[in-house]
Amino acid sequence: MKSVFAFSTLLALASAAVVPERQVRPAVTAYDGYKVFRVAVKNQVNKVSKIIEQLELETWKAPKAPGALADIVVPPSKVAEFEAAVAGMEVTTMHEDLAASIEEESNFSAYAVGSANATWFNSYHSYNDHLQFLRDLQATYPTRSAIVTSGNSNEGRPITGIHFWGSSGKGKKPAVIFHSTVHAREWITTMVNEYLAFNLLTKYDTDAEIKSFVDKYDFYVFPVVNPDGFVFTQTNTRLWRKNRQSNTGSTCIGRDINRNWNFQWSVTGGASTNPCAEDYKGRAASDAPETTNLANFIRSVKSSQGLKLFIDWHAYSQLFMTPYGYSCTARAAKHTELVSLAAGAASAIQAVYGTRFTSGPICSTIYKATGSSVDWANDVGGSEYTFTAELRDTGANGFVLPASQIVPSGVETWAGLRYLLLNMK
């Protein structure tokens, strides 16, 4: 774990040495008076679901099964009615004042062009600053990295990433591909994915183990694969999830691009056919531009150099998962090895700060999910090893995770990734 703690120390020193100017992002949809509650569903799935439906409430976690936890967003006009409806149930408050939590999270650090250093991880950032950070990081290592794009989003934004390689040169080794911010509101995933890229690039010349990883694989890191949705969370509605694609015959916007991949898309029960639902699968498989373009990029990489590892980073729940999402009984060809590696990664994560991750197949660990990137990458994209993770936390903050947890989340996630890179065959 030497490299983990050495990098953590570097970040702490950098944070102490530089106190960046603060800037606040543009105003967003007001959440004044909103609260977020967690309800222990126990054996009352139908009752909790009915409360959500009747009060037309937004959920961060839906009451999908007995024993589940439902995280529910309640506007001020419905707080009293909600509290009366759940009287006698086990209820905790995640956010007493959601607006205040969002305001605290959204105090972005000013970013100076050319300063791709460890202070970046002191706060969250605007979309344009994320693009500049990648450009600056690449410019710092011009002979070992390149900016790449995986096509454009629905609104025409390039899906931008960074590709870096080791001593053998560009495109000579099997690839590792990381996606994050698939769901727009999962800001911690953007930062953690960039943390992994930063760690691998900046320590290549000083850490023999990291050098061995980068010499062995080409890395493609895409911090924001849903740029339209991500921008919308920063300029309008912080808790937006889907892309921003219109839907014929409906005023509701967006597809869940992690229910839109062309593998087991038509299986029922793992996504919604309602355009207004947050897990809307689309009218047809891969009818979201983002999904089509990301799939084409993966195919191209697989064809030209091979694909060793694909990970789709999400939040929140603290899970490290394997295929499949579409079925709780089907087993991937490498099921036993994948499950073992996921368990090892979870243990490595816990060894850093004690953060507990649960591991196992998607369907049985979190819920059924059809048309997912992980199932597609495993069976169609041809990734030799395929995982998805739900990062911090388990519900104390949910999607609105304080910036103070960026570095710890990055450090422990690196430990999990390090385990995979050391133990994949």
Side-chain angles (χ1 to χ4, degrees):
M1 302 300 294
K2 179 179 179 182
S3 61
V4 171
F5 293 110
F7 190 56
S8 179
T9 301
L10 170 65
L11 283 167
L13 291 172
S15 299
V18 180
V19 180
E21 178 187 352
R22 309 296 290 181
Q23 62 180 10
V24 180
R25 64 185 172 87
V28 299
T29 298
Y31 287 97
D32 291 340
Y34 278 65
K35 300 178 185 292
V36 184
F37 296 98
R38 166 162 283 184
V39 178
V41 175
K42 298 185 178 178
N43 62 348
Q44 301 186 81
V45 174
N46 291 338
K47 180 177 180 179
V48 177
S49 297
K50 187 174 182 180
I51 292 169
I52 292 167
E53 180 181 359
Q54 288 180 337
L55 297 182
E56 298 180 323
L57 301 176
E58 175 188 345
T59 62
W60 288 0
K61 283 187 177 181
K64 290 184 176 287
L69 298 171
D71 296 344
I72 305 169
V73 182
V74 184
S77 61
K78 298 179 179 179
V79 168
E81 190 175 359
F82 174 81
E83 290 179 335
V86 297
M89 297 183 185
E90 183 181 330
V91 181
T92 56
T93 303
M94 294 169 60
H95 292 277
E96 180 67 32
D97 183 346
L98 182 56
S101 299
I102 291 173
E103 182 178 3
E104 179 183 359
E105 173 203 45
S106 303
N107 287 328
F108 297 161
S109 291
Y111 180 70
V113 175
S115 58
N117 57 49
T119 61
W120 172 259
F121 302 99
N122 291 346
S123 82
Y124 295 101
H125 300 273
S126 71
Y127 173 66
N128 286 335
D129 280 354
H130 281 287
L131 295 179
Q132 188 61 51
F133 174 79
L134 289 182
R135 289 192 289 265
D136 291 343
L137 188 60
Q138 189 280 322
T140 306
Y141 304 95
T143 62
R144 292 196 288 107
S145 65
I147 295 297
V148 292
T149 59
S150 185
N152 290 340
S153 68
N154 180 67
E155 295 179 349
R157 294 181 176 89
I159 301 172
T160 304
I162 187 168
H163 172 203
F164 49 96
W165 55 87
S167 57
S168 296
K170 181 179 179 180
K172 302 291 180 62
K173 297 292 184 179
V176 171
I177 298 177
F178 298 150
H179 288 176
S180 57
T181 330
V182 177
H183 295 141
R185 61 194 178 190
E186 297 169 6
W187 286 9
I188 186 61
T189 69
T190 323
M191 300 302 300
V192 167
N193 208 3
E194 289 170 344
Y195 181 102
L196 300 175
F198 184 85
N199 196 25
L200 287 161
L201 266 169
T202 61
K203 296 184 74 67
Y204 177 84
D205 292 323
T206 58
D207 187 305
E209 183 178 79
I210 285 179
K211 184 178 188 302
S212 72
F213 296 152
V214 181
D215 284 345
K216 190 173 183 179
Y217 305 114
D218 274 30
F219 289 81
Y220 296 85
V221 177
F222 290 92
V224 183
V225 302
N226 179 9
D228 301 346
F230 185 61
V231 169
F232 196 72
T233 67
Q234 299 192 330
T235 59
N236 194 293
T237 302
R238 168 65 186 87
L239 298 174
W240 186 259
R241 169 184 166 103
K242 300 182 285 185
N243 75 355
R244 294 294 300 162
Q245 190 171 352
S246 61
N247 293 301
T248 303
S250 174
T251 58
C252 294
I253 298 295
R255 284 155 170 72
D256 182 343
I257 61 175
N258 200 37
R259 301 293 185 275
N260 190 244
W261 291 72
N262 194 10
F263 179 73
Q264 302 295 348
W265 176 87
S266 60
V267 173
T268 60
S272 178
T273 57
N274 179 358
C276 299
E278 293 201 325
D279 60 347
Y280 175 52
K281 64 195 293 183
R283 293 174 64 89
S286 202
D287 67 349
E290 295 87 351
T291 309
T292 297
N293 292 330
L294 291 166
N296 287 340
F297 186 89
I298 293 172
R299 284 192 185 97
S300 176
V301 169
K302 168 66 176 178
S303 175
S304 64
Q305 61 191 104
L307 180 55
K308 189 71 174 183
L309 172 65
F310 174 83
I311 302 180
D312 194 359
W313 302 105
H314 287 264
Y316 60 99
S317 284
Q318 293 175 199
L319 308 171
F320 213 101
M321 297 177 289
T322 67
Y324 291 113
Y326 81 89
S327 171
C328 291
T329 56
R331 293 290 179 257
K334 284 190 159 188
H335 171 78
T336 301
E337 185 181 3
L338 290 172
V339 168
S340 175
L341 285 169
S347 294
I349 289 169
Q350 185 177 349
V352 182
Y353 299 117
T355 309
R356 293 181 178 273
F357 274 56
T358 300
S359 64
I362 296 165
C363 185
S364 57
T365 303
I366 185 169
Y367 44 61
K368 187 175 185 177
T370 52
S372 73
S373 64
V374 171
D375 288 1
W376 183 94
N378 188 79
D379 278 41
V380 181
S383 180
E384 193 172 341
Y385 294 91
T386 309
F387 301 93
T388 186
E390 297 276 349
L391 303 179
R392 290 190 180 194
D393 55 11
T394 57
N397 299 282
F399 296 118
V400 188
L401 194 70
S404 59
Q405 295 198 40
I406 293 171
V407 171
S409 187
V411 172
E412 67 194 14
T413 303
W414 163 250
L417 174 60
R418 174 180 178 268
Y419 178 87
L420 296 181
L421 296 174
L422 287 171
N423 290 280
M424 292 186 305
K425 295 177 182 176

Short mmCIF file of all heavy atoms in Angstrom, two decimals, residues 20-51:
data_model
loop_
_atom_site.label_atom_id
_atom_site.label_comp_id
_atom_site.label_asym_id
_atom_site.label_seq_id
_atom_site.Cartn_x
_atom_site.Cartn_y
_atom_site.Cartn_z
N PRO A 20 -6.97 27.74 -2.33
CA PRO A 20 -7.46 28.33 -3.56
C PRO A 20 -8.62 29.28 -3.33
O PRO A 20 -9.38 29.16 -2.37
CB PRO A 20 -7.93 27.12 -4.37
CG PRO A 20 -8.31 26.12 -3.33
CD PRO A 20 -7.35 26.33 -2.20
N GLU A 21 -8.74 30.25 -4.22
CA GLU A 21 -9.89 31.13 -4.23
C GLU A 21 -11.13 30.30 -4.48
O GLU A 21 -11.11 29.34 -5.23
CB GLU A 21 -9.71 32.16 -5.34
CG GLU A 21 -10.87 33.12 -5.50
CD GLU A 21 -10.71 34.00 -6.72
OE1 GLU A 21 -9.64 33.95 -7.33
OE2 GLU A 21 -11.67 34.71 -7.07
N ARG A 22 -12.23 30.67 -3.85
CA ARG A 22 -13.47 29.92 -4.03
C ARG A 22 -14.37 30.64 -5.02
O ARG A 22 -14.40 31.86 -5.09
CB ARG A 22 -14.22 29.77 -2.70
CG ARG A 22 -13.39 29.24 -1.57
CD ARG A 22 -12.90 27.85 -1.82
NE ARG A 22 -13.97 26.88 -1.79
CZ ARG A 22 -13.79 25.59 -1.97
NH1 ARG A 22 -12.59 25.12 -2.25
NH2 ARG A 22 -14.80 24.75 -1.91
N GLN A 23 -15.10 29.87 -5.79
CA GLN A 23 -16.10 30.45 -6.67
C GLN A 23 -17.35 29.59 -6.62
O GLN A 23 -17.28 28.37 -6.47
CB GLN A 23 -15.59 30.56 -8.10
CG GLN A 23 -15.25 29.24 -8.76
CD GLN A 23 -14.76 29.43 -10.17
OE1 GLN A 23 -14.49 30.54 -10.59
NE2 GLN A 23 -14.63 28.33 -10.89
N VAL A 24 -18.49 30.22 -6.72
CA VAL A 24 -19.76 29.51 -6.65
C VAL A 24 -20.30 29.33 -8.05
O VAL A 24 -20.30 30.26 -8.85
CB VAL A 24 -20.77 30.28 -5.77
CG1 VAL A 24 -22.10 29.54 -5.71
CG2 VAL A 24 -20.19 30.47 -4.37
N ARG A 25 -20.77 28.14 -8.35
CA ARG A 25 -21.32 27.86 -9.68
C ARG A 25 -22.62 28.62 -9.88
O ARG A 25 -23.19 29.18 -8.94
CB ARG A 25 -21.56 26.35 -9.83
CG ARG A 25 -22.59 25.81 -8.87
CD ARG A 25 -22.68 24.31 -8.98
NE ARG A 25 -23.52 23.77 -7.95
CZ ARG A 25 -24.84 23.65 -8.04
NH1 ARG A 25 -25.45 24.04 -9.12
NH2 ARG A 25 -25.54 23.14 -7.06
N PRO A 26 -23.15 28.64 -11.10
CA PRO A 26 -24.41 29.35 -11.37
C PRO A 26 -25.57 28.81 -10.53
O PRO A 26 -25.56 27.67 -10.09
CB PRO A 26 -24.65 29.06 -12.86
CG PRO A 26 -23.30 28.77 -13.42
CD PRO A 26 -22.55 28.09 -12.31
N ALA A 27 -26.59 29.65 -10.36
CA ALA A 27 -27.76 29.25 -9.58
C ALA A 27 -28.44 28.05 -10.23
O ALA A 27 -28.46 27.90 -11.44
CB ALA A 27 -28.74 30.41 -9.50
N VAL A 28 -28.98 27.15 -9.40
CA VAL A 28 -29.67 25.96 -9.88
C VAL A 28 -31.07 25.93 -9.31
O VAL A 28 -31.46 26.76 -8.49
CB VAL A 28 -28.91 24.68 -9.49
CG1 VAL A 28 -27.54 24.66 -10.10
CG2 VAL A 28 -28.83 24.54 -7.98
N THR A 29 -31.84 24.97 -9.78
CA THR A 29 -33.19 24.79 -9.25
C THR A 29 -33.17 24.81 -7.73
O THR A 29 -32.37 24.12 -7.11
CB THR A 29 -33.77 23.46 -9.74
OG1 THR A 29 -33.83 23.49 -11.17
CG2 THR A 29 -35.15 23.22 -9.18
N ALA A 30 -34.02 25.60 -7.14
CA ALA A 30 -34.01 25.77 -5.68
C ALA A 30 -34.47 24.49 -4.99
O ALA A 30 -35.46 23.88 -5.39
CB ALA A 30 -34.90 26.93 -5.29
N TYR A 31 -33.74 24.13 -3.95
CA TYR A 31 -34.14 23.01 -3.10
C TYR A 31 -34.39 23.50 -1.68
O TYR A 31 -34.30 22.74 -0.72
CB TYR A 31 -33.06 21.93 -3.10
CG TYR A 31 -32.99 21.14 -4.39
CD1 TYR A 31 -32.07 21.47 -5.38
CD2 TYR A 31 -33.83 20.06 -4.62
CE1 TYR A 31 -32.00 20.76 -6.57
CE2 TYR A 31 -33.76 19.33 -5.80
CZ TYR A 31 -32.86 19.69 -6.76
OH TYR A 31 -32.79 18.97 -7.94
N ASP A 32 -34.72 24.78 -1.54
CA ASP A 32 -34.98 25.35 -0.23
C ASP A 32 -36.12 24.60 0.45
O ASP A 32 -37.20 24.41 -0.12
CB ASP A 32 -35.35 26.83 -0.34
CG ASP A 32 -34.19 27.70 -0.77
OD1 ASP A 32 -33.05 27.26 -0.61
OD2 ASP A 32 -34.44 28.81 -1.27
N GLY A 33 -35.85 24.16 1.66
CA GLY A 33 -36.87 23.47 2.43
C GLY A 33 -37.01 22.00 2.13
O GLY A 33 -37.77 21.30 2.80
N TYR A 34 -36.31 21.52 1.10
CA TYR A 34 -36.37 20.10 0.77
C TYR A 34 -35.60 19.29 1.81
O TYR A 34 -34.58 19.73 2.34
CB TYR A 34 -35.75 19.82 -0.60
CG TYR A 34 -36.65 20.07 -1.77
CD1 TYR A 34 -37.12 21.35 -2.07
CD2 TYR A 34 -37.05 19.02 -2.61
CE1 TYR A 34 -37.94 21.58 -3.17
CE2 TYR A 34 -37.87 19.24 -3.70
CZ TYR A 34 -38.32 20.52 -3.98
OH TYR A 34 -39.13 20.75 -5.06
N LYS A 35 -36.11 18.09 2.08
CA LYS A 35 -35.44 17.16 2.98
C LYS A 35 -35.27 15.83 2.26
O LYS A 35 -36.02 15.52 1.32
CB LYS A 35 -36.25 16.95 4.26
CG LYS A 35 -36.49 18.22 5.08
CD LYS A 35 -37.34 17.93 6.30
CE LYS A 35 -37.69 19.20 7.05
NZ LYS A 35 -36.50 19.81 7.68
N VAL A 36 -34.30 15.06 2.70
CA VAL A 36 -34.11 13.71 2.17
C VAL A 36 -34.20 12.74 3.34
O VAL A 36 -33.46 12.87 4.33
CB VAL A 36 -32.76 13.55 1.44
CG1 VAL A 36 -32.67 12.15 0.82
CG2 VAL A 36 -32.60 14.62 0.36
N PHE A 37 -35.12 11.78 3.22
CA PHE A 37 -35.35 10.81 4.28
C PHE A 37 -34.96 9.41 3.80
O PHE A 37 -35.11 9.08 2.62
CB PHE A 37 -36.82 10.79 4.68
CG PHE A 37 -37.33 12.06 5.28
CD1 PHE A 37 -38.02 12.99 4.51
CD2 PHE A 37 -37.11 12.34 6.62
CE1 PHE A 37 -38.50 14.16 5.06
CE2 PHE A 37 -37.59 13.51 7.19
CZ PHE A 37 -38.28 14.43 6.40
N ARG A 38 -34.51 8.60 4.73
CA ARG A 38 -34.27 7.18 4.47
C ARG A 38 -35.30 6.37 5.25
O ARG A 38 -35.43 6.52 6.48
CB ARG A 38 -32.86 6.77 4.88
CG ARG A 38 -32.65 5.27 4.96
CD ARG A 38 -31.18 4.90 4.94
NE ARG A 38 -30.67 4.98 3.57
CZ ARG A 38 -29.43 4.63 3.23
NH1 ARG A 38 -28.58 4.19 4.14
NH2 ARG A 38 -29.04 4.72 1.98
N VAL A 39 -36.02 5.51 4.53
CA VAL A 39 -37.04 4.66 5.14
C VAL A 39 -36.61 3.21 5.05
O VAL A 39 -36.26 2.72 3.96
CB VAL A 39 -38.41 4.84 4.43
CG1 VAL A 39 -39.45 3.92 5.05
CG2 VAL A 39 -38.86 6.30 4.49
N ALA A 40 -36.58 2.53 6.17
CA ALA A 40 -36.32 1.09 6.18
C ALA A 40 -37.60 0.39 5.72
O ALA A 40 -38.61 0.39 6.43
CB ALA A 40 -35.91 0.63 7.58
N VAL A 41 -37.54 -0.20 4.53
CA VAL A 41 -38.74 -0.75 3.90
C VAL A 41 -39.28 -1.97 4.65
O VAL A 41 -40.49 -2.16 4.79
CB VAL A 41 -38.44 -1.10 2.43
CG1 VAL A 41 -39.65 -1.78 1.78
CG2 VAL A 41 -38.06 0.15 1.67
N LYS A 42 -38.36 -2.81 5.11
CA LYS A 42 -38.72 -4.07 5.77
C LYS A 42 -39.69 -4.86 4.88
O LYS A 42 -39.38 -5.14 3.74
CB LYS A 42 -39.27 -3.80 7.17
CG LYS A 42 -38.21 -3.13 8.07
CD LYS A 42 -38.67 -2.94 9.49
CE LYS A 42 -37.54 -2.30 10.32
NZ LYS A 42 -37.95 -2.06 11.70
N ASN A 43 -40.86 -5.20 5.39
CA ASN A 43 -41.80 -5.98 4.56
C ASN A 43 -42.93 -5.12 4.01
O ASN A 43 -44.01 -5.61 3.69
CB ASN A 43 -42.38 -7.14 5.38
CG ASN A 43 -43.19 -6.65 6.58
OD1 ASN A 43 -43.12 -5.46 6.92
ND2 ASN A 43 -43.94 -7.54 7.20
N GLN A 44 -42.67 -3.81 3.89
CA GLN A 44 -43.71 -2.88 3.46
C GLN A 44 -43.38 -2.21 2.13
O GLN A 44 -43.57 -1.00 1.96
CB GLN A 44 -43.94 -1.83 4.54
CG GLN A 44 -44.35 -2.42 5.88
CD GLN A 44 -44.70 -1.36 6.90
OE1 GLN A 44 -45.80 -0.82 6.91
NE2 GLN A 44 -43.74 -1.05 7.74
N VAL A 45 -42.91 -3.00 1.16
CA VAL A 45 -42.55 -2.47 -0.15
C VAL A 45 -43.73 -1.77 -0.79
O VAL A 45 -43.62 -0.64 -1.29
CB VAL A 45 -42.03 -3.60 -1.08
CG1 VAL A 45 -41.81 -3.06 -2.49
CG2 VAL A 45 -40.76 -4.20 -0.53
N ASN A 46 -44.87 -2.42 -0.79
CA ASN A 46 -46.04 -1.85 -1.45
C ASN A 46 -46.49 -0.55 -0.79
O ASN A 46 -46.86 0.41 -1.47
CB ASN A 46 -47.19 -2.86 -1.47
CG ASN A 46 -46.92 -4.04 -2.38
OD1 ASN A 46 -46.11 -3.94 -3.30
ND2 ASN A 46 -47.59 -5.16 -2.13
N LYS A 47 -46.46 -0.52 0.53
CA LYS A 47 -46.89 0.69 1.24
C LYS A 47 -45.97 1.86 0.94
O LYS A 47 -46.44 2.97 0.65
CB LYS A 47 -46.93 0.42 2.74
CG LYS A 47 -47.38 1.65 3.55
CD LYS A 47 -47.49 1.35 5.03
CE LYS A 47 -47.94 2.59 5.80
NZ LYS A 47 -48.07 2.32 7.25
N VAL A 48 -44.66 1.63 1.01
CA VAL A 48 -43.71 2.72 0.75
C VAL A 48 -43.81 3.17 -0.71
O VAL A 48 -43.79 4.37 -1.01
CB VAL A 48 -42.27 2.28 1.09
CG1 VAL A 48 -41.28 3.39 0.74
CG2 VAL A 48 -42.16 1.92 2.57
N SER A 49 -43.95 2.21 -1.61
CA SER A 49 -44.09 2.55 -3.03
C SER A 49 -45.35 3.40 -3.26
O SER A 49 -45.33 4.35 -4.06
CB SER A 49 -44.16 1.28 -3.88
OG SER A 49 -42.97 0.54 -3.78
N LYS A 50 -46.43 3.06 -2.58
CA LYS A 50 -47.68 3.79 -2.73
C LYS A 50 -47.55 5.22 -2.20
O LYS A 50 -48.08 6.17 -2.80
CB LYS A 50 -48.81 3.05 -2.00
CG LYS A 50 -50.19 3.64 -2.26
CD LYS A 50 -51.27 2.77 -1.63
CE LYS A 50 -52.66 3.35 -1.92
NZ LYS A 50 -53.72 2.51 -1.32
N ILE A 51 -46.85 5.38 -1.09
CA ILE A 51 -46.62 6.72 -0.54
C ILE A 51 -45.85 7.58 -1.55
O ILE A 51 -46.21 8.73 -1.82
CB ILE A 51 -45.84 6.64 0.79
CG1 ILE A 51 -46.70 6.00 1.86
CG2 ILE A 51 -45.36 8.03 1.23
CD1 ILE A 51 -45.94 5.62 3.13
#
